Amino acid sequence: MRIGLLTEGGYPYATGESRLWCDRLVRGLAQHEFDIYALSRSAHQEEQGWIQLPPQVQRVRTAPLWAPDDDGSTYGRRDRRRFAGHFKELAGAICSPDDDRAGGRFAAGLYGLAELARERGGLHAALRSEIAVRALESACRAPGANGAVRAARVPDYLDFVDLLERALRPLSLDWYAEGTLGAVDLCHAAAGGSAALPGLLAKRFFGVPLLVTEYGVQLRAHYLDTSGAPRSAPVRALIAAFHAKLAAEVYANAALVTPGNTHARRWQERCGADRAKLRTIYPGMESDRFGAVGEGGGGDPRTLVWVGRIEPAKDLISLLHAFADVRQQEPQARLRLVFNQQGVGAAENPEAAAYLAHCKALAAQLFPDEASGAHAVGDNPVSFEEIGGPDVPDLAEAYGAGRVVVLSSVVEGFPISLVEAMFCGRATVSTDVGAVVEVIGGTGLVVPSRNPRALADACVALLRDPERAQRLGAAARARALELFTVEQNLAAFRGIYLELMSHCPVRREALDEDGAPQPFGNPAEAHVRGRWAGGGAGGAGGAADGATEDAPADVSSDVPGGEPGAGSGSGRSVPSPTDGSEGAPAALPVTTSVQEVRA
């Protein structure tokens, strides 16, 4: 079948979110054809280029969310009145309390703007016009509006309509035609928010079913986002209301929603997702590169290891204070902090660079260089090391340096570093945030966040009991191999694709270039009869977990084990370069028209 993969700020670009997961999905499901529809977030991301694409990628369409995208369209009097009516509905829904009536107004305004853009051109100028600002002002001051938005002033209106235009930019793209998203059998959005907007319109215009996968809920990411200039309280309230209502609309129209963990699932339910449409599918991660460390054991039993990104949410300050308590009880203990240098430079991320400098200064203050004798060179028990350096050439070496891996975060979604540590057979000490407890099960110790004393006590308990740490590590590796591999992820999506195609087939007449009926123009899955196509209401799932008699094996169930009780411009199109496999061209020249590549 033909899949339209919708991304934002990730695949097929070399940097960004979900790129690794999407690449594994596309390569692993080689029997399907993929069209990529990607939204980029920055000029830097586009400058980094794309990763090597496999031959099953037939087409790539890209558009920027970061640059002005004015197509020069202006509306006449009739179209201005039409725009004003749709925008009034949208703004009124954003400013109103959450209820069914507000949801209906939001959908009416959103799809009305989409149809206007499809017929008359882009919305760039209209969304930034005086008409939009006045409509937003009226909505904020209307009776019954949320109290937080009533204090908005003209600068707040201007700031919000700028943000809204960027978020709604997918409405203005030329992706909604019979030969683009209208030609796919299934839209698979790799995230909610703006990435899912093209899928909503494909469903409305062409009846294409929408599958939404969220390993990090977009609304939660918005709440946690502190990047950029600080915004006023009314603007923050308006943005939050818009994203909340967009999330509810996406969940209501999706045939199936696949959260990456129970933590994300709870967020989706709070945002209005129907439990019958939710099915948990854990991210698939490569386990082979950690096999040697996981099977070989080893590691310094006195060394604690932390691996991750340098940012305040990781709370390295608490970890350093906890390690000070550990050193008082275990003087020979060491702490290795391993991070990726990319994105930590002062130019790329000044906040991360400043936080790293602060952590290094605190470590030097808490742990002065120690020497064993008068003629020995002093050594600090805390080291900051970059992945790819001489001491830590890769991630496997980082986790193999010690027997206990620590996670001290105060905010976390799906803890990738914990899963990697589990693949390596390492015992873990973690804070109780995000999906940590769900991931480790009973194979590690969990303590409250922002509690250095509890974190220190748990670390000391494992440092003093190597046999216990070894048992927990073995159980953790078995759990990770059961739940978090690429194979289980691909098997789940392979079954879901077939299920959605059988429940929600796109009924279109397949014609060849001469307009004659084309044999086998529709995928065979659209004609499957019997139990597979006989789902009840909701089609893609009837039970609370979305598990049906014909669904693939449950990939979110716990595995016993471990210690009981242990806590660019619109519509830019280029052909996809292939990976140089036999029978496929190594690369194709870039053109300005849509081209299809067949392996």
Side-chain angles (χ1 to χ4, degrees):
M1 71 180 70
R2 190 171 182 179
I3 310 298
L5 186 60
L6 315 176
T7 69
E8 178 190 356
Y11 191 77
Y13 295 103
T15 61
E17 304 168 2
S18 72
R19 57 187 177 85
L20 294 178
W21 165 73
C22 288
D23 187 54
R24 292 165 184 159
L25 178 75
V26 172
R27 293 181 184 276
L29 301 181
Q31 70 271 34
H32 301 305
E33 297 176 354
F34 285 85
D35 293 349
I36 311 300
Y37 294 84
L39 302 170
S40 64
R41 289 181 179 170
S42 67
H44 175 73
Q45 184 177 58
E46 294 198 354
E47 291 169 358
Q48 298 301 308
W50 299 350
I51 63 175
Q52 196 79 11
L53 299 178
Q56 54 265 35
V57 175
Q58 304 294 299
R59 174 186 298 170
V60 176
R61 303 292 297 269
T62 65
L65 291 180
W66 51 273
D69 192 29
D70 190 358
D71 61 1
S73 297
T74 56
Y75 294 150
R77 181 179 302 176
R78 180 178 299 177
D79 290 333
R80 285 199 300 270
R81 286 199 300 267
R82 184 179 171 188
F83 168 81
H86 296 318
F87 190 82
K88 181 180 179 180
E89 288 291 307
L90 184 73
I94 292 173
C95 297
S96 300
D98 294 333
D99 54 32
D100 293 339
R101 184 171 180 271
R105 294 182 66 189
F106 182 87
L110 181 69
Y111 297 127
L113 292 175
E115 290 169 359
L116 177 62
R118 191 183 182 201
E119 297 171 9
R120 300 294 186 182
L123 298 170
H124 175 85
L127 286 171
R128 297 171 183 266
S129 67
E130 183 179 354
I131 296 175
V133 175
R134 289 188 178 276
L136 179 62
E137 181 182 17
S138 299
C140 290
R141 297 183 177 182
N146 287 327
V149 305
R150 286 181 171 274
R153 296 295 180 263
V154 172
D156 301 322
Y157 303 143
L158 295 174
D159 193 12
F160 176 67
V161 295
D162 176 71
L163 295 171
L164 186 63
E165 188 277 327
R166 293 175 184 271
L168 294 180
R169 193 166 294 173
L171 303 185
S172 302
L173 301 177
D174 59 351
W175 294 354
Y176 315 109
E178 294 290 346
T180 51
L181 282 175
V184 303
D185 300 304
L186 172 68
C187 282
H188 187 175
S194 296
L197 269 176
L200 282 178
L201 300 189
K203 182 178 187 298
R204 183 174 183 83
F205 296 148
F206 308 107
V208 177
L210 173 62
L211 168 65
V212 179
T213 295
E214 285 189 308
Y215 289 124
V217 178
Q218 290 294 100
L219 182 60
R220 175 179 179 272
H222 160 72
Y223 287 144
L224 297 175
D225 183 21
T226 58
S227 62
R231 305 193 184 278
S232 65
V235 173
R236 294 198 303 270
L238 287 167
I239 297 172
F242 167 76
H243 282 288
K245 290 180 171 61
L246 178 59
E249 182 66 17
V250 169
Y251 297 150
N253 286 274
L256 196 67
V257 181
T258 56
N261 51 76
T262 303
H263 178 65
R265 182 181 182 129
R266 287 196 296 266
W267 271 87
Q268 291 169 339
E269 290 180 2
R270 291 288 298 271
C271 293
D274 184 359
R275 289 187 177 185
K277 292 183 178 182
L278 297 177
R279 187 174 306 172
T280 303
I281 299 179
Y282 293 123
M285 300 176 59
E286 295 286 353
S287 60
D288 294 343
R289 58 176 174 164
F290 304 110
V293 176
E295 296 174 0
D300 187 348
R302 301 171 300 176
T303 297
L304 302 175
V305 177
W306 176 93
V307 179
R309 297 189 308 272
I310 298 293
E311 58 184 4
K314 302 303 181 182
D315 199 14
L316 296 182
I317 303 301
S318 291
L319 177 57
L320 290 172
H321 284 290
F323 187 65
D325 291 343
V326 171
R327 289 277 293 180
Q328 292 180 359
Q329 303 178 61
E330 294 292 326
Q332 301 302 314
R334 299 185 64 85
L335 174 63
R336 299 180 66 171
L337 303 171
V338 183
F339 61 95
N340 192 338
Q341 177 64 24
Q342 184 178 2
V344 185
E348 297 175 309
N349 193 336
E351 182 183 16
Y355 188 70
L356 176 60
H358 178 58
C359 292
K360 288 183 177 180
L362 179 61
Q365 179 182 358
L366 291 175
F367 311 100
D369 289 348
E370 303 172 354
S372 57
H375 303 288
V377 178
D379 183 29
N380 195 305
V382 177
S383 62
F384 292 81
E385 306 173 46
E386 302 172 14
I387 297 176
D391 295 329
V392 189
D394 55 35
L395 276 173
E397 291 289 339
Y399 292 110
R403 290 300 304 168
V404 178
V405 174
V406 185
L407 184 142
S408 55
S409 301
V410 294
V411 175
E412 195 73 53
F414 186 85
I416 293 177
S417 61
L418 278 189
V419 177
E420 292 171 340
M422 293 166 71
F423 280 134
C424 292
R426 293 312 186 241
T428 58
V429 176
S430 315
T431 50
D432 187 6
V433 293
V436 165
V437 172
E438 177 185 2
V439 166
I440 67 171
T443 67
L445 305 186
V446 180
V447 300
S449 60
R450 300 185 190 276
N451 191 332
R453 177 60 61 86
L455 189 62
D457 291 343
C459 291
V460 169
L462 293 183
L463 291 175
R464 290 179 173 176
D465 193 346
E467 293 184 357
R468 182 188 184 192
Q470 186 174 2
R471 290 197 307 271
L472 288 174
R477 176 168 169 79
R479 179 178 175 83
L481 291 175
E482 180 70 22
L483 294 178
F484 307 123
T485 61
V486 174
E487 290 74 20
Q488 66 84 19
N489 184 270
L490 293 177
F493 279 112
R494 185 181 295 111
I496 283 175
Y497 282 3
L498 296 176
E499 178 181 352
L500 291 182
M501 195 65 250
S502 64
H503 285 308
C504 314
V506 183
R507 301 299 183 184
R508 63 170 69 93
E509 185 178 4
L511 304 176
D512 59 19
E513 297 178 355
D514 298 327
Q518 181 179 1
F520 308 106
N522 291 315
E525 293 82 7
H527 306 285
V528 175
R529 297 182 179 275
R531 294 185 306 157
W532 188 248
D545 257 345
T548 65
E549 183 179 1
D550 304 303
D554 181 12
V555 295
S556 61
S557 59
D558 289 339
V559 174
E563 196 168 90
S568 317
S570 168
R572 289 180 295 172
S573 305
V574 296
S576 60
T578 68
D579 60 357
S581 58
E582 184 179 356
L588 292 175
V590 175
T591 67
T592 57
S593 62
V594 179
Q595 296 189 18
E596 296 189 357
V597 182
R598 304 281 180 181

PDB file of all heavy atoms in Angstrom, residues 178-197:
ATOM      1  N   GLU A 178      -5.439  15.228  -6.015  1.00  0.00           N
ATOM      2  CA  GLU A 178      -5.587  13.808  -6.314  1.00  0.00           C
ATOM      3  C   GLU A 178      -4.247  13.102  -6.474  1.00  0.00           C
ATOM      4  O   GLU A 178      -4.126  11.914  -6.182  1.00  0.00           O
ATOM      5  CB  GLU A 178      -6.411  13.631  -7.593  1.00  0.00           C
ATOM      6  CG  GLU A 178      -7.856  14.094  -7.477  1.00  0.00           C
ATOM      7  CD  GLU A 178      -8.684  13.195  -6.581  1.00  0.00           C
ATOM      8  OE1 GLU A 178      -8.225  12.079  -6.275  1.00  0.00           O
ATOM      9  OE2 GLU A 178      -9.794  13.612  -6.193  1.00  0.00           O
ATOM     10  N   GLY A 179      -3.226  13.833  -6.932  1.00  0.00           N
ATOM     11  CA  GLY A 179      -1.938  13.198  -7.154  1.00  0.00           C
ATOM     12  C   GLY A 179      -0.999  13.246  -5.981  1.00  0.00           C
ATOM     13  O   GLY A 179       0.105  12.710  -6.043  1.00  0.00           O
ATOM     14  N   THR A 180      -1.379  13.898  -4.884  1.00  0.00           N
ATOM     15  CA  THR A 180      -0.501  14.003  -3.711  1.00  0.00           C
ATOM     16  C   THR A 180      -1.114  13.222  -2.550  1.00  0.00           C
ATOM     17  O   THR A 180      -1.177  12.004  -2.593  1.00  0.00           O
ATOM     18  CB  THR A 180      -0.260  15.477  -3.364  1.00  0.00           C
ATOM     19  OG1 THR A 180      -1.523  16.165  -3.277  1.00  0.00           O
ATOM     20  CG2 THR A 180       0.594  16.160  -4.424  1.00  0.00           C
ATOM     21  N   LEU A 181      -1.584  13.914  -1.519  1.00  0.00           N
ATOM     22  CA  LEU A 181      -2.167  13.184  -0.388  1.00  0.00           C
ATOM     23  C   LEU A 181      -3.463  12.480  -0.761  1.00  0.00           C
ATOM     24  O   LEU A 181      -3.869  11.526  -0.088  1.00  0.00           O
ATOM     25  CB  LEU A 181      -2.403  14.142   0.781  1.00  0.00           C
ATOM     26  CG  LEU A 181      -1.166  14.507   1.604  1.00  0.00           C
ATOM     27  CD1 LEU A 181      -1.499  15.558   2.644  1.00  0.00           C
ATOM     28  CD2 LEU A 181      -0.566  13.274   2.274  1.00  0.00           C
ATOM     29  N   GLY A 182      -4.100  12.922  -1.825  1.00  0.00           N
ATOM     30  CA  GLY A 182      -5.298  12.237  -2.269  1.00  0.00           C
ATOM     31  C   GLY A 182      -5.037  10.884  -2.883  1.00  0.00           C
ATOM     32  O   GLY A 182      -5.966  10.109  -3.105  1.00  0.00           O
ATOM     33  N   ALA A 183      -3.743  10.591  -3.159  1.00  0.00           N
ATOM     34  CA  ALA A 183      -3.389   9.325  -3.805  1.00  0.00           C
ATOM     35  C   ALA A 183      -2.905   8.273  -2.821  1.00  0.00           C
ATOM     36  O   ALA A 183      -2.664   7.133  -3.218  1.00  0.00           O
ATOM     37  CB  ALA A 183      -2.309   9.562  -4.861  1.00  0.00           C
ATOM     38  N   VAL A 184      -2.728   8.626  -1.552  1.00  0.00           N
ATOM     39  CA  VAL A 184      -2.209   7.650  -0.596  1.00  0.00           C
ATOM     40  C   VAL A 184      -3.358   6.833  -0.005  1.00  0.00           C
ATOM     41  O   VAL A 184      -4.522   7.240  -0.041  1.00  0.00           O
ATOM     42  CB  VAL A 184      -1.414   8.352   0.533  1.00  0.00           C
ATOM     43  CG1 VAL A 184      -0.284   9.179  -0.048  1.00  0.00           C
ATOM     44  CG2 VAL A 184      -2.322   9.212   1.400  1.00  0.00           C
ATOM     45  N   ASP A 185      -3.016   5.688   0.538  1.00  0.00           N
ATOM     46  CA  ASP A 185      -3.998   4.804   1.166  1.00  0.00           C
ATOM     47  C   ASP A 185      -4.140   5.049   2.659  1.00  0.00           C
ATOM     48  O   ASP A 185      -5.151   4.692   3.250  1.00  0.00           O
ATOM     49  CB  ASP A 185      -3.613   3.341   0.921  1.00  0.00           C
ATOM     50  CG  ASP A 185      -3.550   3.005  -0.553  1.00  0.00           C
ATOM     51  OD1 ASP A 185      -4.560   3.213  -1.246  1.00  0.00           O
ATOM     52  OD2 ASP A 185      -2.478   2.565  -1.019  1.00  0.00           O
ATOM     53  N   LEU A 186      -3.102   5.638   3.255  1.00  0.00           N
ATOM     54  CA  LEU A 186      -3.109   5.883   4.699  1.00  0.00           C
ATOM     55  C   LEU A 186      -2.165   7.032   5.007  1.00  0.00           C
ATOM     56  O   LEU A 186      -1.053   7.073   4.480  1.00  0.00           O
ATOM     57  CB  LEU A 186      -2.680   4.623   5.453  1.00  0.00           C
ATOM     58  CG  LEU A 186      -2.445   4.752   6.967  1.00  0.00           C
ATOM     59  CD1 LEU A 186      -3.764   5.027   7.695  1.00  0.00           C
ATOM     60  CD2 LEU A 186      -1.788   3.492   7.529  1.00  0.00           C
ATOM     61  N   CYS A 187      -2.596   7.965   5.846  1.00  0.00           N
ATOM     62  CA  CYS A 187      -1.719   9.021   6.363  1.00  0.00           C
ATOM     63  C   CYS A 187      -1.251   8.614   7.753  1.00  0.00           C
ATOM     64  O   CYS A 187      -2.075   8.300   8.623  1.00  0.00           O
ATOM     65  CB  CYS A 187      -2.447  10.359   6.430  1.00  0.00           C
ATOM     66  SG  CYS A 187      -2.617  11.202   4.848  1.00  0.00           S
ATOM     67  N   HIS A 188       0.051   8.617   7.944  1.00  0.00           N
ATOM     68  CA  HIS A 188       0.629   8.277   9.246  1.00  0.00           C
ATOM     69  C   HIS A 188       1.396   9.491   9.755  1.00  0.00           C
ATOM     70  O   HIS A 188       2.455   9.829   9.232  1.00  0.00           O
ATOM     71  CB  HIS A 188       1.564   7.069   9.124  1.00  0.00           C
ATOM     72  CG  HIS A 188       2.071   6.565  10.441  1.00  0.00           C
ATOM     73  ND1 HIS A 188       2.854   5.426  10.561  1.00  0.00           N
ATOM     74  CD2 HIS A 188       1.901   7.039  11.709  1.00  0.00           C
ATOM     75  CE1 HIS A 188       3.142   5.243  11.830  1.00  0.00           C
ATOM     76  NE2 HIS A 188       2.585   6.216  12.547  1.00  0.00           N
ATOM     77  N   ALA A 189       0.854  10.177  10.742  1.00  0.00           N
ATOM     78  CA  ALA A 189       1.493  11.347  11.336  1.00  0.00           C
ATOM     79  C   ALA A 189       2.425  10.898  12.442  1.00  0.00           C
ATOM     80  O   ALA A 189       2.021  10.181  13.361  1.00  0.00           O
ATOM     81  CB  ALA A 189       0.454  12.312  11.891  1.00  0.00           C
ATOM     82  N   ALA A 190       3.695  11.319  12.344  1.00  0.00           N
ATOM     83  CA  ALA A 190       4.693  10.937  13.344  1.00  0.00           C
ATOM     84  C   ALA A 190       4.611  11.782  14.592  1.00  0.00           C
ATOM     85  O   ALA A 190       5.403  11.601  15.511  1.00  0.00           O
ATOM     86  CB  ALA A 190       6.096  11.032  12.742  1.00  0.00           C
ATOM     87  N   ALA A 191       3.669  12.724  14.646  1.00  0.00           N
ATOM     88  CA  ALA A 191       3.445  13.560  15.819  1.00  0.00           C
ATOM     89  C   ALA A 191       2.079  14.197  15.677  1.00  0.00           C
ATOM     90  O   ALA A 191       1.450  14.163  14.611  1.00  0.00           O
ATOM     91  CB  ALA A 191       4.535  14.624  15.949  1.00  0.00           C
ATOM     92  N   GLY A 192       1.595  14.798  16.764  1.00  0.00           N
ATOM     93  CA  GLY A 192       0.366  15.559  16.690  1.00  0.00           C
ATOM     94  C   GLY A 192       0.665  16.984  16.256  1.00  0.00           C
ATOM     95  O   GLY A 192       1.687  17.278  15.650  1.00  0.00           O
ATOM     96  N   GLY A 193      -0.227  17.911  16.562  1.00  0.00           N
ATOM     97  CA  GLY A 193      -0.003  19.304  16.236  1.00  0.00           C
ATOM     98  C   GLY A 193      -0.007  19.567  14.744  1.00  0.00           C
ATOM     99  O   GLY A 193      -0.774  18.979  13.975  1.00  0.00           O
ATOM    100  N   SER A 194       0.914  20.459  14.310  1.00  0.00           N
ATOM    101  CA  SER A 194       0.965  20.864  12.906  1.00  0.00           C
ATOM    102  C   SER A 194       1.268  19.697  11.976  1.00  0.00           C
ATOM    103  O   SER A 194       0.829  19.690  10.825  1.00  0.00           O
ATOM    104  CB  SER A 194       2.013  21.964  12.723  1.00  0.00           C
ATOM    105  OG  SER A 194       1.657  23.132  13.442  1.00  0.00           O
ATOM    106  N   ALA A 195       2.020  18.708  12.446  1.00  0.00           N
ATOM    107  CA  ALA A 195       2.353  17.556  11.600  1.00  0.00           C
ATOM    108  C   ALA A 195       1.116  16.781  11.193  1.00  0.00           C
ATOM    109  O   ALA A 195       1.066  16.191  10.110  1.00  0.00           O
ATOM    110  CB  ALA A 195       3.334  16.641  12.321  1.00  0.00           C
ATOM    111  N   ALA A 196       0.095  16.766  12.041  1.00  0.00           N
ATOM    112  CA  ALA A 196      -1.117  16.000  11.748  1.00  0.00           C
ATOM    113  C   ALA A 196      -2.127  16.791  10.933  1.00  0.00           C
ATOM    114  O   ALA A 196      -3.090  16.208  10.439  1.00  0.00           O
ATOM    115  CB  ALA A 196      -1.763  15.532  13.051  1.00  0.00           C
ATOM    116  N   LEU A 197      -1.936  18.109  10.774  1.00  0.00           N
ATOM    117  CA  LEU A 197      -2.886  18.918  10.017  1.00  0.00           C
ATOM    118  C   LEU A 197      -3.077  18.423   8.577  1.00  0.00           C
ATOM    119  O   LEU A 197      -4.221  18.329   8.109  1.00  0.00           O
ATOM    120  CB  LEU A 197      -2.449  20.383  10.024  1.00  0.00           C
ATOM    121  CG  LEU A 197      -3.005  21.251  11.161  1.00  0.00           C
ATOM    122  CD1 LEU A 197      -2.415  22.655  11.104  1.00  0.00           C
ATOM    123  CD2 LEU A 197      -4.521  21.316  11.098  1.00  0.00           C
TER     124      LEU A 197
END
